[in-house]
Amino acid sequence: MLNALVTNLAAGEPQNPLLPAWYDIVWSALWFLIILIVVWKVALPRLTAMLDERSAAIEGNIAKADEAQKQAEAALDEYTRQLAEARTEAGEIREAAREDGKKIVAEAKESATAEANRISAAAHTQIEAERQAAFVSLRSEVGTLAIDLAGGVVGETLTDDARATAVVDRFLADLEKAK
């Protein structure tokens, strides 16, 4: 460019060094228009299509994310509902177990009371039978002893059963009165 400036100054043509020659302006304008048409017709539609695809993909992903969030919220609500039902059911089971436990304890107490009463009645019956047996045995021994003593006091042997029984009965009656 410096050469062109020196050549122009030497030729004597006064030209502005900041302005290019007219043929450079025409050729530059022609190439600018060609590049502009190529960009406008080829590159711009491809770029627009690519941006539209990307926008659609982003919007699709946003929609999928919204749907996934709704599903997650629904799952959380379902989980919360099931958890509440499980807690309610567990409370009912605990209450039923407590009631069953109370019933079992009451039945055990009732059974134990009945068994104790049965054992007590059996013991009283056995004691009464043993008392009667002891009473009969004692009566027999006391009777024999009383007859022997009476025989020693009277000086004769009491061999008559009727008389001996009468003496024993009278002796025992006197003992019972003394109580």
Side-chain angles (χ1 to χ4, degrees):
M1 180 124 152
L2 189 57
N3 259 348
L5 183 61
V6 172
T7 310
N8 284 340
L9 285 178
E13 295 180 16
Q15 186 178 10
N16 188 355
L18 295 178
L19 288 178
W22 66 271
Y23 55 87
D24 284 337
I25 292 176
V26 171
W27 283 110
S28 296
L30 182 67
W31 282 110
F32 178 75
L33 285 176
I34 291 171
I35 291 173
L36 182 66
I37 291 171
V38 167
V39 167
W40 188 277
K41 294 293 183 179
V42 176
L44 190 61
R46 288 183 184 174
L47 183 64
T48 304
M50 182 184 69
L51 290 176
D52 288 342
E53 287 175 13
R54 192 170 208 180
S55 175
I58 290 172
E59 288 174 2
N61 288 339
I62 289 173
K64 286 179 185 176
D66 287 342
E67 182 64 29
Q69 185 175 2
K70 287 178 184 176
Q71 289 177 352
E73 288 173 358
L76 179 62
D77 291 342
E78 178 67 20
Y79 170 76
T80 304
R81 184 186 60 77
Q82 288 177 352
L83 184 61
E85 287 177 2
R87 286 182 179 160
T88 303
E89 185 178 340
E92 291 171 358
I93 290 171
R94 278 193 304 271
E95 278 302 313
R98 284 186 189 122
E99 292 299 320
D100 289 345
K102 288 178 183 176
K103 286 178 185 176
I104 290 170
V105 167
E107 288 174 1
K109 284 181 181 178
E110 186 177 310
S111 175
T113 302
E115 184 68 17
N117 289 339
R118 185 190 65 76
I119 291 172
S120 177
H124 284 302
T125 305
Q126 185 177 359
I127 289 171
E128 186 61 31
E130 287 176 3
R131 189 176 73 79
Q132 288 295 331
F135 183 72
V136 168
S137 172
L138 185 60
R139 185 176 197 139
S140 166
E141 289 178 21
V142 167
T144 305
L145 187 59
I147 289 174
D148 289 342
L149 286 175
V153 170
V154 173
E156 64 182 71
T157 309
L158 299 170
T159 55
D160 184 15
D161 283 339
R163 235 169 86 187
T165 304
V167 169
V168 169
D169 286 340
R170 191 178 58 215
F171 179 72
L172 288 176
D174 289 342
L175 280 178
E176 284 181 9
K177 285 181 187 176
K179 279 186 181 180

